[in-house]
C-alpha cells in the first residue's frame, strides 16, 4: 500500500510524546518538528492516527510544496495539485492559511487566493463553481507559507482532534482534551491504569482529566465519540477500511470497560463546575465509570466507600491565578493541597499542572520530575511528586483536618526570609500601636520595602490589606522575586489575623503622570473607611491606587481645620477626599476640578456619603491647567496636587510639573483672595521650587510636617508648600 506524507500538529512541548504515539500506531520515518510531527503512513495508519491519537490537533495529508514569493506565484503553485482527485462533486471548501512574507502579509487575503485557485481549476474542469463552508466543508485545505514556499495539505481530521465530542460544557479555563491526556501520560497513568490503580482529581472542574483518564484506562479510542472526520467527505475515502478500523476500536473499548475494576473519582467545591462535569461524563458514556462529588479541599481524603484503596494517582490542575491579585488565596490553597496529600495519600503518585510553579513550593512536597508545557500560549509546568509512604499511618489516630486559618498560623512552614519579613512587620506595628490608638487611624502604611529583598508596600484598610509589589530591577532573578512575594503573601494573614481573601495584591512599576490611576479590573466594589470625622470610599481591586492617598492624611486634616467659612478650591481633585475634609470642616463652598469624570463621580459619592448635596459644592470636569488660566473666581484656600507628568489626549497641552509649576502657582495665586493661601503638593522626588516663586511669594516648606508617622521612613514621599502673599 502506498505511503502518504503526513504532518500532525500538536500543542508546543508535546512533540516528543506525539512522535512516540505515531510510531506505536504504525507510522514510519517519524520526525519531530516545532508544534508537530512529520511521518509517512499507509491510509490505514492515517485513519488510526485520526481515531487513536490522544495528543494531535490535526492530521494533514501533504499534497504539494512549491514557491510562493508573491500572491500570483501562490496562485500558480496551488494549480499544480489536481483538486478534482480530492473534492467531491458539488462539494464545499474551506482554507486555513498560516505564515507571511514581504509580499503576502495578510493571511485572510492569502487564504482567499488559495481558494480562488482551487475553485477556478475545478470550474474549468467540471463547470461547477464550488462554494465555501467554514464550519463543515467537504474539503478543508491547509496552506502553510514558510521561507518563500507553501506546503499544501488536506486536513483529514476536519475539526481539531482535541474535540472528542463529549465536552460541550466547561468550567472556568478548562484544559483541552489532548493536553489533559498528555498530563496523564507524563504522569505514568497508562501503566497505573493497566494495574487497576485509582485516579483522583481533588479540583476536577469540568472533568477533563478524569474523562481522559477513563478513556486511557478503558482502552477507548479518543475519537470514537466524534461524529465527523474530515476524510468522511474526501473523494478518496475508503469506507470499508474505515469501518473495519472503527469496529476494531469499538470492540477494544467494550472489552476494556468489562475488565475495568478500578476507581476514577473527582471532587470540586463549585456546584456549577460539577454540573458541567456530570454532563460531559454522560456524553462520554462514562457515567458508570467516573464519579464526581462536591467537596471542599479542606475535606479531601481517600474515598471511604471503596474500602482500602491501593496507592494510585492524584492528578489535578488547580487554579494558578490569571491576575496577580488572586495570589494571596492561592498560596493557602496550594499549601492546603500539600497538607491533605501528605496526611491522606501516603505512597501515592501526584501530578500538578500549573501556570505558576512557585505556588507548588507551598505544597511542602519535593517534585522528582518537572516538565515544561504550554496551555495555549501560557507557559506552564507539570510537576510530579511521590508522597512518602507512612507505614504507621493506619496505626496512628487520624490527625484533625486543619482549617485554612490554622494553616496560616503554622510558622514552622515559613521560610527564613518569610520569618524575617514577618518580624519586621510586627516590629512596625508595635511602634505604630500607640499612635494609631491616639489618632484613631484606620488606614495606614504598615511596611514599605524596609527590607530591600522584600520590595512591597503593605497598607492597612480596616480588616483588608492593600499590597503593592514594586517591580524588581532586571538584575534580580525573577524566580527569586516571585518566591519572596510568595513568602510575603503566606505570612501576612497570620501577622494581621485576616483571611487571605482580604489581601489585595497589585504590581507597581514606576509610573508617570496619571498612569497610576489606570483601571486594572471591573469589580466596582467600594469599601467605606473613616479618616478623622470623614467617611471615604476606597476601591482596593480595580485601580493601582485605591482612591485615598495615605501620605496626604495630615494635609487633608489641615485643610479641614482651616476651611471653616472659606471658599475652597481643590485642583486635580482625584476622588475629592480633601474636598470632603473641607466640607466637614465647615467650608462655605467648594469647587473640585479634575479631567476624569470617573473620579469626579467618585468624589460626588464621597461628598454624599458625608451628607453634602448642595449647589455650593461644585464639581467641574476640565483640564485643570487650562481651567486655572481662564478662571476669574476668588478662593480663600486652594489645594493643588498635580501629577508629575500627564499627556492625556483630553488635555490641550502636556503637563510637566517641574517645568510648569511656576506658571501654575502664579495662575492659582492670581485667584487667591486677600489673606488666603495655596497649598501646593507633588510627589516628584527631584522637584526644585522655581527661585522666582520664592522671591515673589511667601513660600513655607511644610513637607516635613505633612509626612505622617506611618511614612516617616520615607521623608521624600511628597513635597508640600504653603504659599501666601507677603504681608
Amino acid at each position: 500500500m502506498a505511503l502518504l506524507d503526513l504532518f500532525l500538529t500538536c500543542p508546543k512541548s508535546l512533540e516528543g510524546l506525539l512522535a512516540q504515539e505515531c510510531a506505536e500506531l504504525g507510522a514510519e520515518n517519524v520526525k519531530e518538528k516545532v508544534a508537530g510531527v512529520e511521518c509517512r503512513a499507509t491510509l490505514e495508519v492515517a485513519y488510526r492516527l485520526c481515531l487513536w491519537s490522544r495528543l494531535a490537533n490535526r492530521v494533514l495529508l501533504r499534497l504539494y510544496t512549491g514557491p510562493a514569493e508573491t500572491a500570483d506565484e501562490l496562485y500558480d503553485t496551488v494549480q499544480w495539485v489536481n483538486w478534482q482527485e480530492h473534492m467531491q462533486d458539488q462539494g464545499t471548501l474551506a482554507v486555513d492559511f498560516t505564515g507571511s512574507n514581504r509580499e503576502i502579509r495578510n493571511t485572510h487575503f492569502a487564504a482567499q487566493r488559495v481558494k480562488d485557485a482551487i475553485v477556478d481549476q475545478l470550474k474549468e474542469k467540471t463547470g461547477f463553481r464550488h462554494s465555501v463552508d467554514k464550519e463543515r466543508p467537504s474539503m478543508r485545505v491547509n496552506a502553510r507559507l514558510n521561507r518563500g514556499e507553501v506546503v499544501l495539505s488536506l486536513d483529514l481530521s476536519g475539526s481539531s482532534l482535541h474535540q472528542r465530542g463529549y465536552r460541550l460544557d466547561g468550567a472556568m479555563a478548562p484544559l483541552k482534551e489532548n493536553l489533559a491526556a498528555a498530563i496523564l501520560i507524563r504522569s505514568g497513568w497508562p501503566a497505573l491504569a493497566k494495574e487497576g490503580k485509582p485516579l483522583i482529581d481533588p479540583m476536577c472542574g469540568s472533568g477533563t482529566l478524569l474523562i481522559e483518564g477513563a478513556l486511557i484506562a478503558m482502552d477507548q479510542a479518543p475519537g470514537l465519540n466524534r461524529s465527523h472526520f474530515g476524510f468522511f467527505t474526501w473523494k478518496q475515502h475508503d469506507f470499508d477500511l474505515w469501518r473495519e478500523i472503527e469496529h476494531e476500536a469499538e470492540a477494544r473499548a467494550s472489552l476494556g470497560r468489562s475488565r475495568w475494576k478500578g476507581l476514577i473519582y473527582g471532587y470540586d467545591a463549585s456546584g456549577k463546575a460539577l454540573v458541567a462535569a456530570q454532563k460531559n461524563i454522560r456524553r462520554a458514556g462514562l457515567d458508570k465509570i467516573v464519579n464526581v462529588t462536591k467537596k471542599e479541599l479542606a475535606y479531601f481524603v481517600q474515598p471511604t466507600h471503596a474500602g482500602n484503596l491501593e496507592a494510585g494517582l492524584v492528578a489535578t490542575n488547580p487554579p494558578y491565578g490569571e491576575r496577580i491579585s488572586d495570589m494571596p488565596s492561592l498560596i493557602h490553597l496550594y499549601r492546603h493541597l500539600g497538607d491533605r496529600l501528605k496526611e491522606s495519600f501516603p505512597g501515592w503518585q501526584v501530578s500538578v499542572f500549573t501556570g505558576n510553579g512557585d505556588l507548588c513550593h507551598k505544597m511542602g512536597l519535593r517534585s522528582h520530575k518537572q516538565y515544561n508545557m504550554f496551555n495555549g500560549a501560557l507557559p506552564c509546568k507539570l510537576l510530579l511528586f511521590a508522597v512518602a509512604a507512612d507505614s504507621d499511618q493506619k496505626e496512628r489516630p487520624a490527625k484533625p483536618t486543619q482549617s485554612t486559618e490554622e494553616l496560616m498560623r503554622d510558622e514552622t512552614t515559613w521560610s527564613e526570609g518569610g520569618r524575617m519579613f514577618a518580624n519586621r512587620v510586627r516590629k512596625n506595628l508595635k511602634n505604630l500601636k500607640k499612635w494609631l490608638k491616639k489618632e484613631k487611624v484606620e488606614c495606614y502604611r504598615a511596611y514599605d520595602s524596609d527590607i530591600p529583598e522584600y520590595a512591597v508596600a503593605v497598607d492597612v484598610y480596616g480588616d483588608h490589606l492593600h499590597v503593592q509589589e514594586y517591580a524588581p530591577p532586571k538584575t534580580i532573578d525573577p524566580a527569586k522575586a516571585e518566591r519572596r512575594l510568595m513568602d510575603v503573601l503566606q505570612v501576612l494573614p497570620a501577622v494581621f489575623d485576616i483571611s487571605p481573601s482580604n489581601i489585595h495584591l497589585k504590581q507597581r512599576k514606576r509610573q508617570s503622570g496619571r498612569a497610576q490611576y489606570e483601571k486594572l479590573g471591573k469589580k466596582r466594589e467600594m469599601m467605606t473607611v473613616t479618616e478623622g470625622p470623614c467617611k471615604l470610599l476606597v476601591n482596593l481591586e480595580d485601580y493601582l491606587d485605591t482612591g485615598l492617598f495615605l501620605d496626604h492624611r495630615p494635609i487633608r486634616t489641615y485643610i479641614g481645620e482651616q476651611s471653616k467659612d472659606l471658599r475652597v478650591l481643590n485642583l486635580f481633585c482625584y476622588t475629592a477626599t480633601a474636598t470632603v475634609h473641607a466640607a466637614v470642616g465647615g467650608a462655605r463652598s467648594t469647587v473640585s476640578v479634575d479631567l476624569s469624570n470617573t473620579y469626579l463621580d467618585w468624589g460626588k459619592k464621597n461628598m454624599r456619603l458625608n451628607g453634602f448635596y448642595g449647589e455650593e459644592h461644585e464639581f467641574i470636569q476640565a483640564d485643570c491647567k487650562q481651567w486655572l488660566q481662564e478662571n476669574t473666581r476668588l478662593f480663600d484656600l486652594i489645594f493643588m496636587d498635580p501629577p508629575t507628568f500627564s499627556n492625556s489626549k483630553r488635555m490641550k497641552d502636556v503637563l510637566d510639573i517641574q517645568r510648569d509649576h511656576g506658571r501654575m502657582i502664579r495662575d492659582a495665586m492670581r485667584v487667591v483672595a486677600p489673606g488666603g493661601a495655596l497649598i501646593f503638593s507633588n510627589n516628584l522626588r527631584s522637584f526644585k521650587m522655581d527661585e522666582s516663586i520664592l522671591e515673589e511669594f511667601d513660600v513655607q516648606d511644610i513637607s516635613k510636617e505633612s509626612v505622617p508617622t506611618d511614612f516617616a521612613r520615607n521623608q521624600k514621599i511628597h513635597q508640600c508648600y504653603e504659599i501666601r502673599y507677603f504681608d
Side-chain angles (χ1 to χ4, degrees), residues 530-599:
T530 60
E531 184 175 81
C534 304
K535 295 178 181 178
L536 302 170
L537 293 170
V538 295
N539 183 321
L540 304 182
E541 283 287 339
D542 292 346
Y543 303 87
L544 189 57
D545 280 309
T546 65
L548 181 64
F549 295 135
L550 299 182
D551 61 302
H552 277 174
R553 189 188 314 108
I555 302 174
R556 289 189 292 269
T557 301
Y558 179 68
I559 289 172
E561 293 169 348
Q562 299 296 314
S563 293
K564 186 171 178 58
D565 296 328
L566 300 186
R567 297 163 294 180
V568 178
L569 170 63
N570 186 1
L571 293 165
F572 305 95
C573 71
Y574 189 31
T575 59
T577 52
T579 308
V580 172
H581 275 268
V584 172
R588 187 200 320 173
S589 64
T590 65
V591 174
S592 302
V593 186
D594 199 277
L595 191 60
S596 168
N597 272 323
T598 298
Y599 292 109

Side-chain angles (χ1 to χ4, degrees), residues 98-112:
T98 58
S100 63
N101 60 23
R102 289 184 179 181
E103 297 294 328
I104 302 173
R105 300 181 181 182
N106 186 294
T107 56
H108 179 74
F109 165 76
Q112 184 75 22

Side-chain angles (χ1 to χ4, degrees), residues 416-646:
E416 182 179 349
R419 286 193 290 272
M420 179 175 64
F421 170 77
N423 290 337
R424 176 55 65 94
V425 177
R426 285 170 173 154
K427 179 180 178 182
N428 290 350
L429 293 176
K430 183 179 179 180
N431 292 337
L432 292 172
K433 186 175 180 180
K434 289 183 180 179
W435 171 75
L436 292 171
K437 185 176 181 180
K438 178 183 177 183
E439 300 295 330
K440 298 180 180 178
V441 175
E442 181 179 284
C443 306
Y444 60 94
R445 178 151 294 183
Y447 175 92
D448 194 357
S449 297
D450 300 33
I451 304 172
E453 292 83 359
Y454 290 87
V456 296
V458 180
D459 294 329
V460 179
Y461 287 82
D463 58 353
H464 288 250
L465 298 182
H466 186 252
V467 181
Q468 300 173 79
E469 180 201 16
Y470 297 112
K474 293 181 179 179
T475 54
I476 299 297
D477 181 358
K480 287 184 178 179
E482 186 74 16
R483 283 194 289 273
R484 288 167 183 162
L485 179 61
M486 295 298 171
D487 288 340
V488 168
L489 298 177
Q490 182 177 9
V491 307
L492 284 178
V495 172
F496 287 90
D497 191 23
I498 62 169
S499 167
S501 61
N502 282 17
I503 299 178
H504 309 268
L505 177 64
K506 317 251 179 80
Q507 185 180 66
R508 190 174 201 107
K509 301 175 182 178
R510 292 195 176 276
Q511 304 292 325
S512 61
R514 303 188 71 82
Q516 60 195 10
Y517 306 146
E518 288 180 359
K519 198 163 190 177
L520 303 177
K522 296 181 179 180
K523 284 193 173 182
R524 299 188 179 97
E525 293 178 0
M526 291 289 191
M527 171 182 167
T528 302
V529 298
T530 60
E531 184 175 81
C534 304
K535 295 178 181 178
L536 302 170
L537 293 170
V538 295
N539 183 321
L540 304 182
E541 283 287 339
D542 292 346
Y543 303 87
L544 189 57
D545 280 309
T546 65
L548 181 64
F549 295 135
L550 299 182
D551 61 302
H552 277 174
R553 189 188 314 108
I555 302 174
R556 289 189 292 269
T557 301
Y558 179 68
I559 289 172
E561 293 169 348
Q562 299 296 314
S563 293
K564 186 171 178 58
D565 296 328
L566 300 186
R567 297 163 294 180
V568 178
L569 170 63
N570 186 1
L571 293 165
F572 305 95
C573 71
Y574 189 31
T575 59
T577 52
T579 308
V580 172
H581 275 268
V584 172
R588 187 200 320 173
S589 64
T590 65
V591 174
S592 302
V593 186
D594 199 277
L595 191 60
S596 168
N597 272 323
T598 298
Y599 292 109
L600 288 173
D601 289 341
W602 193 336
K604 292 173 185 176
K605 291 177 183 177
N606 275 332
M607 289 289 278
R608 287 196 292 269
L609 186 62
N610 291 272
F612 298 100
Y613 298 85
E615 295 180 356
E616 64 272 20
H617 300 293
E618 186 178 359
F619 285 82
I620 299 174
Q621 191 270 324
D623 174 355
C624 291
K625 187 178 172 184
Q626 183 179 354
W627 183 88
L628 194 56
Q629 293 171 2
E630 299 170 354
N631 170 63
T632 57
R633 283 188 281 178
L634 295 179
F635 297 92
D636 304 298
L637 180 61
I638 300 177
F639 178 49
M640 180 163 56
D641 180 37
T644 297
F645 180 86
S646 182

Side-chain angles (χ1 to χ4, degrees), residues 366-404:
R366 184 183 296 275
S367 64
H368 60 80
K369 190 74 174 178
Q370 295 187 19
Y371 293 97
N372 293 318
M373 302 176 80
F374 284 84
N375 188 0
L378 181 67
C380 294
K381 283 185 179 294
L382 174 63
L383 295 96
L384 305 184
F385 307 89
V387 183
D390 188 347
S391 58
D392 299 325
Q393 184 72 21
K394 297 178 182 178
E395 300 175 11
R396 293 189 288 120
K399 183 179 177 182
T401 299
Q402 286 183 293
S403 67
T404 300

Side-chain angles (χ1 to χ4, degrees), residues 326-354:
D326 296 329
M327 287 300 114
S329 296
L330 291 178
I331 284 175
H332 296 284
L333 181 145
Y334 277 73
R335 169 76 193 286
H336 225 138
L337 174 61
D339 280 9
R340 300 315 308 136
L341 291 169
K342 286 182 284 187
E343 180 64 31
S344 298
F345 293 85
W348 283 59
Q349 300 299 310
V350 177
S351 65
V352 178
F353 181 76
T354 177

